[in-house]
Amino acid sequence: MTAETTAGHSVQLVRGLRLGYGCSALVGGRTTRQARGLLDAAWDAGIRHFDAARVYGTGDAEALLGSFAAPRRDDITIATKFGNEPLSPRRATATAKVVGRAATRRSRHLLAIARRHSNRSIRRGQFAPEDARISLEKSLAQLNTEYVDVLLMHDCSAEDWARSDTRAALEEMQLEKRVLWYGTATSFAETERIFAGSGTRPVVAQFDSYACTGNARQFMKVGGSSTPIVYR
């Protein structure tokens, strides 16, 4: 089944889903086998939407998800993100990653420290058109797929979303059937700013919402036909 023929199927899945699996902590503090076990458990529980990003697992979460998703590709939706990029891998970095992950599997304290300092291995704000294209190519290779159902601008501001050159690049990717839908994945405050503007609204908007904030309910008043993907 091609991206073109799955487009309607994907919309139905994204709009009708109640639960998805976020892969932000898929790698780190556990073995590859344990991570795969989590994905299998999510599948067995009926989850069919999986959310990744270039920086999750310092670039490794997408590959794990891709291996899991390959035999199930027609039955799931995959969202990934661009804008925050892991630093280019070097031999020393790769070695440190292996040693560090082995250590964090043995100590929750070390795992917490590693997560606090993970921002040092990330380049943020990479929202130029060429950044979007390069990031998508890397994601497609890691995810072992010809297309993603949803591509989101990671931690973007309202000004980032308003860039006409970047949105033009995203529309080209959509026409090429490498991206079915695109939108934003940012804080609720920035999401509100984006939707308060006079420009084009995202078709998909991912943001934080908890019982104490009610952001999801608030979004339903302003989001119109946009599909919210809420993480809690």
Side-chain angles (χ1 to χ4, degrees):
M1 188 178 292
T2 66
E4 182 174 4
T5 58
T6 60
H9 178 56
S10 297
V11 175
Q12 181 181 1
L13 281 172
V14 170
R15 292 189 184 279
L17 282 171
R18 292 295 178 268
L19 290 175
Y21 187 89
C23 298
S24 61
L26 185 63
V27 179
R30 59 181 57 86
T31 65
T32 298
R33 183 177 179 180
Q34 289 170 333
R36 178 58 186 261
L38 290 174
L39 293 171
D40 288 336
W43 171 267
D44 291 341
I47 290 175
R48 298 295 183 266
H49 179 70
F50 295 84
D51 178 84
R54 287 287 306 129
V55 292
Y56 290 173
T58 59
D60 295 336
E62 285 183 322
L64 273 171
L65 177 58
S67 175
F68 159 82
R72 306 171 170 87
R73 189 64 186 95
D74 293 345
D75 299 312
I76 67 174
T77 54
I78 295 175
T80 195
K81 309 176 187 72
F82 77 96
N84 293 339
E85 294 288 324
L87 295 179
S88 299
R90 295 183 175 88
R91 181 174 297 178
T93 303
T95 301
K97 187 189 297 186
V98 171
V99 173
R101 285 178 180 169
T104 57
R105 287 196 292 271
R106 292 170 173 79
S107 169
R108 290 185 178 274
H109 177 64
L110 289 176
L111 178 61
I113 293 174
R115 286 177 175 168
R116 279 202 305 271
H117 293 280
S118 61
N119 283 341
R120 296 180 181 179
S121 62
I122 296 172
R123 291 183 293 114
R124 295 185 176 277
Q126 308 296 301
F127 294 115
E130 191 61 20
D131 293 328
R133 294 188 183 95
I134 292 172
S135 182
L136 176 64
E137 291 300 331
K138 291 178 180 178
S139 288
L140 293 178
Q142 291 289 86
L143 291 166
N144 192 27
T145 184
E146 295 180 353
Y147 70 98
V148 293
D149 299 271
V150 186
L151 182 65
L152 302 170
M153 297 177 67
H154 202 178
D155 291 340
C156 65
S157 66
E159 290 75 20
D160 295 324
W161 169 255
R163 288 187 59 155
S164 59
D165 56 348
T166 299
R167 289 223 309 278
L170 292 169
E171 288 170 7
E172 287 178 8
M173 297 174 195
Q174 198 173 40
L175 288 172
E176 295 165 354
K177 303 297 190 295
R178 294 189 298 160
V179 173
L180 300 189
W181 306 100
Y182 65 87
T184 57
T186 191
S187 68
F188 186 65
E190 284 300 322
T191 301
E192 284 191 306
R193 289 186 64 218
I194 290 167
F195 278 81
S198 58
T200 302
R201 291 180 168 188
V203 174
V204 180
Q206 179 175 306
F207 53 86
D208 55 297
S209 182
Y210 304 91
C212 60
T213 64
N215 290 343
R217 290 191 298 274
Q218 178 63 22
F219 179 81
M220 299 311 293
K221 299 176 183 178
V222 300
S225 61
S226 296
T227 298
I229 300 178
V230 177
Y231 63 87
R232 301 178 185 276

